[in-house]
Amino acid sequence: GGGLTSERGAETVKTSGGAGETGLLFDPPVIQVAPGTEVVWEWTGKDGVHNVVATDVDSGDPRQSEPDSLSQTLETTGAHRYYCTPHRAIGMHGAIVVK
């Protein structure tokens, strides 16, 4: 799927890294949240190591694998797009829309 999942009422939102049959997806791929929402990427452990890198900002390389997770609180409105470096070419990407 590629639809928008609205989580505007939640204080914390979780998305899976390494989702789907192949383990090469973020699920849900696009999430809408309110400013100040904590987003947590949890690794499924499928298909090796994944990371989250912002498309428009050099956010370093927070590469982690299961059972670790990555947490980020987003304050700035707009679309925050990201990808997984090892699997970017095959479409492992997502977005958080802060509105």
Side-chain angles (χ1 to χ4, degrees), residues 46-60:
K46 292 171 86 176
D47 199 50
V49 177
H50 303 294
N51 68 356
V52 173
V53 177
T55 301
D56 55 347
V57 179
D58 179 9
S59 61

Side-chain angles (χ1 to χ4, degrees), residues 1 15-20 23-30 41-43 50-53 82-84 91-95:
T15 182
S16 295
L24 298 173
L25 298 172
F26 289 107
D27 183 36
V30 183
W41 288 267
E42 294 184 331
W43 312 122
H50 303 294
N51 68 356
V52 173
V53 177
Y82 60 90
Y83 59 88
C84 171
M92 188 171 175
H93 50 84

Side-chain angles (χ1 to χ4, degrees), residues 3-99:
L4 175 76
T5 300
S6 180
E7 295 285 356
R8 292 200 67 226
E11 289 182 22
T12 301
V13 174
K14 294 181 181 177
T15 182
S16 295
E21 285 186 26
T22 62
L24 298 173
L25 298 172
F26 289 107
D27 183 36
V30 183
I31 306 170
Q32 184 180 66
V33 300
T37 303
E38 178 188 29
V39 179
V40 179
W41 288 267
E42 294 184 331
W43 312 122
T44 66
K46 292 171 86 176
D47 199 50
V49 177
H50 303 294
N51 68 356
V52 173
V53 177
T55 301
D56 55 347
V57 179
D58 179 9
S59 61
D61 190 17
R63 184 170 299 173
Q64 299 180 358
S65 60
E66 189 180 28
D68 296 327
S69 64
L70 175 68
S71 171
Q72 180 75 45
T73 300
L74 300 173
E75 301 284 354
T76 307
T77 57
H80 301 269
R81 294 174 177 86
Y82 60 90
Y83 59 88
C84 171
T85 302
H87 306 115
R88 184 179 191 181
I90 56 175
M92 188 171 175
H93 50 84
I96 306 296
V97 179
V98 182
K99 183 175 178 180

